[in-house]
Amino acid sequence: MKMDVLLGLQWGDEGKGKIVDVLAPQYEVVARFQGGPNAGHTLEFDGIKHVLHQIPSGIFRSQILNIIGNGVVLDPIILKKEIEGLGKFSIDYKKNLVVSKKATIIIPTHKLLDAAYEQSKGDKKIGSTLKGIGPTYQDKIGRSALRIGDILSPDFREKYDTLLAKHKTTLSFYDFSLDALPEMEKQFFDAVEFIKTLNLIDSEYVVNEALAAKKKILAEGAQGSLLDIDFGSYPYVTSSNTMTAGACTGLGVAPSRIGEVFGIFKAYCTRVGSGPFPTELFDETGEAMRKEGNEFGSTTGRPRRCGWLDLPALKYSIMINGVTQLFMMKADVLNIFEEILVCTHYELPNGEKIDRLSFEIAEIDAKPVYRKMKGWNCSLKEVSSYDQFPEELKGYVTFLEEELQVPIKLVSVGPDRTQTILR
Ligand code: IMP
């Protein structure tokens, strides 16, 4: 049995939460492998909207084991709040949720460091979610981080104090107040006691034993490929490998065990935070997209930058991830446009047209070259199968498939579970 992977091909917020929830009945295990509470996975069913930050999106299905893997950075305070928020759903989280002892812990000063680093960057800010992601991964790679397994050790407090002292030294170089720290620490140690009551495991064994027992596993990515620490628009990226390879290291699964790779993209593009975005729209069209798509961050509430679909970027993400199936999200947001644009190339200042994301491309003033297509310009509310799609939408799907050379197997036409068209 192989493990399937689901990931975002753009700058995050593609709608991964909804799709994990839709696919979940086919799976017995759903596992998060990277990132942390910077993610906000939105699920909508029975008229209610749920946003998950650290808990895998299979949690609403009682037959699914949800794993927070070793590649994740975990904020105990946020996890405790999230679990408490699930109280009304009678979810048996002690049975259906397990946490890797090798997951890295976000401590309060990681969040302060995140804010201090951002503050010091001036107009070169990353636009971080300020959840402490970068500083925590820094400590992981620097071999000084605390891991979930450490909370069970009698000298946890000592280990914490050592890391705290290191952080305080660093923070002393910044003009940054520590006034909030005592209250944050109180909440942190409270939450740590709560986390001790969860099922803390060596998740690499659980995942590999599940595969050996022919159980179906879905690895749920967070953020998007263009935010990958190696291949994203560095330095405007997150601090983990958001790509398929990250699912191997973030769960302890061999590359030969990867099965289907589901690549999720929006029918247009959005980005939160700073960094290059060649197709970004600064006019009323971009404003209309933001309004129609309700493009405001589910973690920070920030308005998302909006623009037309970028094919060179999408081809790049498909290449580095080995995508086998594409899922196109939020097609209904484009209902309002009479004309739809798709970027097929970039034009360099010397007039040359390219369709690659080279190291230099972010630095150069590359202009998008668009193909214009007639929009369908009608509601998709009544549509319940692909045959019922307006011809222009079918044309959009076919054009993208020809360009991307990967089948589009699913088109989402609204936020609810039921507004999902399979092909
Ligand atoms: P960080 O991961 O919080 O440090 O943020 C780094 C960059 O990634 C910023 O531009 C964030 O806006 C962006 N980012 C982080 N997590 C997400 C996400 O889940 N969706 C979209 N963008 C994200």
Side-chain angles (χ1 to χ4, degrees), residues 9 265 309-316 318 326 397-408:
L9 300 180
F265 69 102
L309 191 62
D310 182 335
L311 289 185
L314 211 44
K315 285 178 187 171
Y316 183 78
I318 289 170
L326 287 166
V397 171
T398 314
F399 169 69
L400 296 182
E401 280 186 329
E402 277 165 12
E403 286 284 319
L404 302 170
Q405 290 293 302
V406 181
I408 298 178

Side-chain angles (χ1 to χ4, degrees), residues 9-11 225-226 269 278-279 308-321 343-346 355-357 404:
L9 300 180
Q10 297 160 319
W11 286 284
S225 302
L226 302 174
C269 284
T279 63
W308 296 115
L309 191 62
D310 182 335
L311 289 185
L314 211 44
K315 285 178 187 171
Y316 183 78
S317 295
I318 289 170
M319 174 182 78
I320 60 171
N321 286 304
C343 166
T344 56
H345 294 81
Y346 307 126
D355 70 347
R356 294 168 80 91
L357 266 64
L404 302 170

Side-chain angles (χ1 to χ4, degrees), residues 11-13 38-40 126-129 133 223 227 237-238 272-273 302:
W11 286 284
D13 309 314
N38 48 350
I126 307 289
S128 163
T129 59
I133 307 297
Q223 290 80 51
L227 289 172
V237 292
T238 190
V272 266
R302 291 178 290 179

Side-chain angles (χ1 to χ4, degrees), residues 5 11 27 37 54 65 74 77 138 170 213 300-301 334 337 343 396 404:
V5 183
W11 286 284
Y27 290 92
Q54 302 188 112
L65 177 68
L74 198 67
I77 301 172
Q138 239 174 326
T170 310
T300 58
L334 300 186
F337 298 112
C343 166
Y396 192 61
L404 302 170

Side-chain angles (χ1 to χ4, degrees), residues 192-379:
V192 163
E193 287 309 307
F194 173 77
I195 304 293
K196 280 184 191 168
T197 68
L198 300 180
N199 198 352
L200 310 180
I201 57 158
D202 288 313
S203 60
E204 60 276 30
Y205 279 109
V206 172
V207 173
N208 282 289
E209 282 162 11
L211 284 172
K214 301 208 177 322
K215 290 196 174 157
K216 289 203 72 187
I217 304 183
L218 182 65
E220 175 183 8
Q223 290 80 51
S225 302
L226 302 174
L227 289 172
D228 183 272
I229 183 73
D230 284 279
F231 296 102
S233 42
Y234 192 90
Y236 301 102
V237 292
T238 190
S239 298
S240 61
N241 279 118
T242 55
M243 57 196 294
T244 305
C248 296
T249 56
L251 290 169
V253 170
S256 57
R257 293 299 203 119
I258 299 297
E260 296 291 330
V261 179
F262 306 122
I264 308 221
F265 69 102
K266 272 182 200 168
Y268 51 100
C269 284
T270 63
R271 174 166 203 168
V272 266
S274 326
F277 182 176
T279 63
E280 182 168 9
L281 292 164
F282 298 96
D283 55 7
E284 66 278 8
T285 307
E287 193 52 53
M289 251 180 215
R290 185 173 308 113
K291 192 159 166 256
E292 192 67 14
N294 191 23
E295 295 294 358
F296 296 90
S298 44
T299 299
T300 58
R302 291 178 290 179
R304 295 179 184 143
R305 301 157 65 192
C306 296
W308 296 115
L309 191 62
D310 182 335
L311 289 185
L314 211 44
K315 285 178 187 171
Y316 183 78
S317 295
I318 289 170
M319 174 182 78
I320 60 171
N321 286 304
V323 172
T324 59
Q325 296 186 31
L326 287 166
F327 297 168
M328 183 166 84
M329 308 302 290
K330 295 187 108 167
D332 54 302
V333 173
L334 300 186
N335 292 353
I336 54 171
F337 298 112
E338 285 176 15
E339 195 171 56
I340 290 170
L341 273 61
V342 184
C343 166
T344 56
H345 294 81
Y346 307 126
E347 187 178 315
L348 302 181
N350 66 3
E352 189 192 345
K353 288 199 178 73
I354 56 162
D355 70 347
R356 294 168 80 91
L357 266 64
S358 61
F359 181 81
E360 293 82 10
I361 194 85
E363 305 298 321
I364 298 170
D365 184 20
K367 292 198 173 42
V369 179
Y370 288 114
R371 180 189 159 116
K372 288 187 182 165
M373 303 181 75
K374 191 170 176 301
W376 45 96
N377 210 206
C378 62
S379 164

Side-chain angles (χ1 to χ4, degrees), residues 388-399:
Q388 296 169 1
F389 273 13
E391 285 310 313
E392 293 84 357
L393 176 52
K394 282 187 189 163
Y396 192 61
V397 171
T398 314
F399 169 69

